[in-house]
Amino acid sequence: VECLNLRDFAIRPACVQDADAIVDILKALGQYRRLSALQPEEAIARIRRRLRPYSRGVSPSAHVAHDSAGTVVGYVTVHWLAYLFMPGPEGYVSELFVHPGVAGHGIGSRLLEEVIVEAKARSCTRLSLLNMRDRESYKRGFYAKRGWQERADAANWIYPL
Ligand SMILES: CC(C)(COP(=O)(O)OP(=O)(O)OC[C@H]1O[C@@H](n2cnc3c(N)ncnc32)[C@H](O)[C@@H]1OP(=O)(O)O)[C@@H](O)C(=O)NCCC(=O)NCCS
């Protein structure tokens, strides 16, 4: 990714036109073999379709980070979950990805800060996310250093389909 103006990066709500950049980010991270197996235009069309509800800003929501030339270099998505038993909703951070070419420039932190601002505006009780322990971000304590608390007492379950 050509990105020379990182000091001036900014955050804005995502729109469907960001699909191309999001595909680039996911491919560059190399963790999405199923997406990479698609033709580029199919992958973009799929993300565009999926982005539609996100761009309405209710739930889920998505923000992108871009440099001063408008190049999108990272994004975050949040699903806002209402519970009956909790005082306020929970924001589930479902995706946080920064292009590997610009990792370590504060973009991921800035996207997370945006989520916290939005969560407070929505009167949320808490945020949550899943971070695999073999990920670089976990090993480097990315979330722990930013005030997130690991729930040692909770088991995370999936039911594969
Ligand atoms: C984790 C991630 C979102 C951080 O964004 P970033 O813009 O690189 O992070 P910032 O510059 O704001 O903060 C720097 C911190 O990010 C982490 N980080 C930096 N480069 C990283 C990399 N290549 N991979 C993973 N984490 C990295 C470290 O914790 C670093 O702090 P440290 O230097 O004290 O170790 C980003 O690197 C990324 O998308 N990684 C790959 C995908 C991923 O693991 N996403 C999280 C899914 S839950």
Side-chain angles (χ1 to χ4, degrees), residues 99-156:
H99 195 288
V102 296
H105 284 87
I107 296 166
S109 304
R110 182 69 186 75
L111 284 164
L112 269 188
E113 283 163 18
E114 186 69 29
V115 169
I116 291 167
V117 168
E118 199 181 342
K120 287 180 179 166
R122 290 171 184 257
S123 302
C124 287
T125 297
R126 69 181 183 204
L127 292 168
S128 75
L129 61 78
L130 180 76
N131 187 202
M132 303 303 280
R133 290 202 178 96
D134 62 357
R135 288 277 181 92
E136 192 64 20
S137 48
Y138 181 82
K139 292 180 189 159
R140 289 168 69 161
F142 179 71
Y143 296 104
K145 283 181 188 165
R146 283 158 188 78
W148 289 67
Q149 297 164 15
E150 187 175 350
R151 298 173 80 185
D153 58 338
N156 182 258

